[in-house]
């Protein structure tokens, strides 16, 4: 894995926040001006929101982020302090917000962990394990969502503005298959046969048109072996804590939207379940978005999935949803990055000079 400092800081560049912001605002303005039913007066509908569900949404967001911090601290066996854990999560979310969803911020997180004092091998192991746990949530919960909501899970394809037939179902299926295959291979590689997985990578990369990636395949195989050795022998309590934290984190991420929708309209228990399941489906679909942080894609799909619950409140809820779930991490990353750089690079250098 490449954790070259220059490349990492190119990803973490605060100037990059304007790219997803511009894409997201562009889609919002397009949706506003292309829909004759949307008028300036409808923007005032945001003031009709009930305060209690909004407060609950904020509490759920806080619980989710606190869960992330707790999980990374537990994953590292408390090698990270609470302050370091907060920095890691802020920059992890920031990196995810400024890179396409399919790319993510894996190398950035490894770099941050290393600079916070975690060895490279352990950092790779923790990040790989986190990816497996997060994907495992989707793999296990998505079939349950299909089981409990059946035909109502996907919105009517006729409402899609792009005429691709059952495009939502196709996008979901592609994303789900990719996630499942990736999770299966990563689980097999780390927990069952790491050396066999490296052998498989080397065999595949020995094919003539894939030989240019043979060195990278060998290096990745070594990383898998290191991760496997570090994670074996962990106690049951270790696995229980991080698995429970993972399911609570992702449940909180989706429940936040339930709170926002309830702020504008009355929602029955069954509708709450359907909203939760649709949010899960939408999130899986957005994982193959080519835009930074699914900017633009998220705003478009939100309208398709939740108009039937919100009606005239769809547009303002869409904006509020992104304002609470996405843009704060762009701002936090841009604010805390200079402070973290001074803390990690310059303070450590000054302390070494003082010791000499």
């Amino acid at each position: 894995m490449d954790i070259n400092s220059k490349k990492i800081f190119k990803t973490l560049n605060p100037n990059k926040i304007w790219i997803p912001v511009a894409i997201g605002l562009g889609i919002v303005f397009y949706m506003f001006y292309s829909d004759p039913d949307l008028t300036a007066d409808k923007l005032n509908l945001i003031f009709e929101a009930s305060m209690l569900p909004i407060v609950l949404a904020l509490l759920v967001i806080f619980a989710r982020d606190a869960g992330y911090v707790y999980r990374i601290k537990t994953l590292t066996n408390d090698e990270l302090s609470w302050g370091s854990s907060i920095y890691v999560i802020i920059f992890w979310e920031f990196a995810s917000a400024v890179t396409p969803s399919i790319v993510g911020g894996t190398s950035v997180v490894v770099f941050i962990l290393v600079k916070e004092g975690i060895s490279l091998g352990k950092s790779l192991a923790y990040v790989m394990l986190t990816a497996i746990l997060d994907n495992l949530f989707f793999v296990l919960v998505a079939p349950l969502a299909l089981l409990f909501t059946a035909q109502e899970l996907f919105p009517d394809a006729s409402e899609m503005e792009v005429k691709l037939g059952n495009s939502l179902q196709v996008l979901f299926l592609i994303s789900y298959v990719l996630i499942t295959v990736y999770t299966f291979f990563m689980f097999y590689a780390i927990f069952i046969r790491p050396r066999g997985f490296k052998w498989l990578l080397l065999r595949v990369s020995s094919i003539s048109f894939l030989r240019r990636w043979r060195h990278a395949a060998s290096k990745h195989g070594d990383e898998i072996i290191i991760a496997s050795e570090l994670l074996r022998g962990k106690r049951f309590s270790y696995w229980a804590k991080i698995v429970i934290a993972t399911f609570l984190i992702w449940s909180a991420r989706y429940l936040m939207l339930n709170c926002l929708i309830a702020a504008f309209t009355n929602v029955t228990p069954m509708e709450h379940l359907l909203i939760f399941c649709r949010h899960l489906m939408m999130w899986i679909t957005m994982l193959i978005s080519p835009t930074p942080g699914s900017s633009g894609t998220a705003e478009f799909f939100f309208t398709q999935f939740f108009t039937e619950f919100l009606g005239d409140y769809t547009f303002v809820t869409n904006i509020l949803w992104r304002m609470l779930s996405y843009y704060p991490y762009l701002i936090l990353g841009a604010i805390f990055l200079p402070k973290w750089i001074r803390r990690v690079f310059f303070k450590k250098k000054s302390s070494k000079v003082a010791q000499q």
Side-chain angles (χ1 to χ4, degrees):
M1 180 178 291
D2 187 2
I3 56 170
N4 180 276
S5 297
K6 289 184 179 180
K7 290 185 178 180
I8 297 299
F9 283 116
K10 188 176 180 181
T11 300
L12 289 175
N13 186 350
N15 292 327
K16 279 197 168 187
I17 68 174
W18 300 112
I19 299 174
V21 169
I23 295 173
L25 291 178
I27 292 295
V28 167
F29 282 123
Y30 170 77
M31 292 166 60
F32 183 80
Y33 286 107
S34 64
D35 188 344
D37 294 329
L38 281 175
T39 62
D41 291 337
K42 287 195 175 180
L43 292 175
N44 293 326
L45 292 175
I46 198 169
F47 298 109
E48 296 184 13
S50 300
M51 284 308 300
L52 180 58
I54 297 295
V55 172
L56 288 175
L58 295 173
L59 290 175
V60 168
I61 293 172
F62 175 79
R64 186 202 71 175
D65 292 339
Y68 272 129
V69 172
Y70 170 80
R71 186 178 67 168
I72 195 64
K73 193 174 188 299
T74 304
L75 272 171
T76 61
N77 296 294
D78 294 325
E79 288 186 55
L80 286 178
S81 66
W82 287 111
S84 295
S85 300
I86 291 171
Y87 274 117
V88 170
I89 297 306
I90 288 175
F91 297 133
W92 198 330
E93 290 292 311
F94 178 76
S96 299
V98 297
T99 56
S101 299
I102 198 169
V103 175
T106 301
S107 59
V108 171
V109 181
V110 173
F111 175 79
I112 300 296
L113 287 171
V114 169
K115 291 303 178 183
E116 288 292 346
I118 307 297
S119 68
L120 177 59
K122 288 183 179 180
S123 298
L124 288 167
Y126 297 145
V127 172
M128 289 179 189
L129 179 57
T130 301
I132 291 174
L133 290 171
D134 289 342
N135 290 335
L136 193 60
F137 177 87
F138 297 131
V139 172
L140 295 177
V141 177
L144 294 177
L146 286 167
L147 177 65
F148 287 120
T149 55
Q151 301 298 321
E152 295 181 305
L153 185 56
F154 292 98
D156 187 356
S158 64
E159 297 178 5
M160 290 292 290
E161 294 180 22
V162 286
K163 306 302 181 182
L164 298 175
N166 295 325
S167 54
L168 285 176
Q169 289 90 328
V170 171
L171 287 173
F172 163 74
L173 182 61
I174 293 172
S175 295
Y176 183 79
V177 169
L178 290 174
I179 293 170
T180 303
V181 171
Y182 172 81
T183 305
F184 170 79
F185 276 108
M186 288 296 291
F187 185 89
Y188 176 83
I190 292 177
F191 296 106
I192 301 177
R193 292 194 63 190
R195 297 185 185 279
F197 184 75
K198 180 182 178 180
W199 177 85
L200 178 62
L201 289 178
L202 292 175
R203 291 287 294 177
V204 171
S205 60
S206 65
I207 300 172
S208 57
F209 65 91
L210 295 176
R211 282 176 185 167
R212 68 174 69 178
W213 291 289
R214 187 173 177 81
H215 176 72
S218 177
K219 188 175 180 181
H220 184 57
D222 291 335
E223 292 170 353
I224 291 290
I225 293 171
I226 293 171
S228 177
E229 291 173 350
L230 287 169
L231 293 173
R232 287 187 178 183
K234 297 290 185 183
R235 295 182 177 181
F236 174 80
S237 59
Y238 176 86
W239 296 110
K241 288 176 184 178
I242 60 177
V243 168
I244 292 172
T246 298
F247 275 74
L248 291 178
I249 286 165
W250 284 101
S251 296
R253 183 184 286 273
Y254 299 130
L255 285 171
M256 187 272 284
L257 181 56
N258 286 70
C259 296
L260 290 184
I261 292 177
F264 291 99
T265 183
N266 294 322
V267 184
T268 66
M270 280 305 299
E271 286 175 332
H272 270 297
L273 176 62
L274 181 56
I275 290 167
F276 182 93
C277 294
R278 279 199 179 181
H279 195 179
L280 172 68
M281 294 298 135
M282 185 181 74
W283 193 272
I284 293 175
T285 302
M286 292 188 327
L287 287 176
I288 58 173
S289 170
T291 59
S294 299
S295 189
T297 308
E299 289 83 355
F300 172 76
F301 278 130
F302 181 93
T303 301
Q304 311 306 321
F305 274 87
F306 301 110
T307 296
E308 68 179 82
F309 302 104
L310 289 161
D312 290 340
Y313 296 102
T314 302
F315 186 73
V316 293
T317 308
N318 193 343
I319 295 173
L320 188 58
W321 171 61
R322 290 297 272 177
M323 285 177 61
L324 294 177
S325 65
Y326 178 66
Y327 293 109
Y329 301 103
L330 292 175
I331 298 170
L332 287 173
I335 291 173
F336 282 96
L337 182 60
K339 182 179 179 181
W340 180 79
I341 291 173
R342 289 194 299 269
R343 171 177 171 268
V344 171
F345 288 91
F346 296 104
K347 284 188 178 181
K348 286 185 177 179
K349 287 183 179 179
S350 61
S351 63
K352 287 181 180 180
V353 171
Q355 289 176 357
Q356 293 174 354

